Amino acid sequence: MALSEQIQNDLGIFFNDADFGTWHTVAGRRLLVIVDTEQAKQDGLKDLNGNYNGDITVFAKQADLQGLRLEPEQAIIFDNAQYVIANVNPIDGIVELNLQQVRSR
């Protein structure tokens, strides 16, 4: 089995709601994603309802994002909050999205 096939098989280990994954709404789709919780904890980004408020990094399965236009500087809704995509980095079936929250002045 090639390494890329093994990585695809192992995605289910990380993207499950019993271990690392959590359910969120990304661009209108309810998806099982991984939020960079260490950075979020450092920044104190979670409010009392469990929603993120601030800049975050989200990891999603590339297959789950099929059909979505994801480009830097594009607006996106994550858990009912407005963000701008700072960076999109696809790697071996996973997409890393760096999101910057739009803040009103």
Side-chain angles (χ1 to χ4, degrees):
M1 179 181 296
L3 178 60
S4 61
E5 292 173 326
Q6 186 63 46
I7 291 170
Q8 290 300 311
N9 289 341
D10 290 344
L11 287 180
I13 294 170
F14 296 99
F15 287 93
N16 71 67
D17 56 5
D19 291 314
F20 301 108
T22 52
W23 291 97
H24 295 275
T25 303
V26 180
R29 293 185 187 174
R30 184 156 164 76
L31 301 176
L32 188 60
V33 300
I34 298 170
V35 178
D36 185 348
T37 55
E38 287 305 310
Q39 188 63 43
K41 286 178 193 174
Q42 290 175 10
D43 296 341
L45 299 177
K46 234 178 186 183
D47 67 15
L48 296 175
N49 296 318
N51 297 316
Y52 290 92
N53 297 309
D55 301 343
I56 57 173
T57 299
V58 176
F59 298 91
K61 288 192 262 182
Q62 193 165 12
D64 291 347
L65 300 174
Q66 290 295 326
L68 292 179
R69 188 176 139 254
L70 302 171
E71 299 174 2
E73 299 184 21
Q74 175 188 331
I76 189 169
I77 303 293
F78 179 82
D79 285 346
N80 299 315
Q82 181 89 24
Y83 288 85
V84 172
I85 298 173
N87 186 41
V88 179
N89 189 20
I91 304 171
D92 293 325
I94 298 173
V95 176
E96 175 185 357
L97 294 172
N98 300 109
L99 307 178
Q100 296 175 336
Q101 189 169 35
V102 176
R103 294 169 177 87
S104 55
R105 295 183 179 209

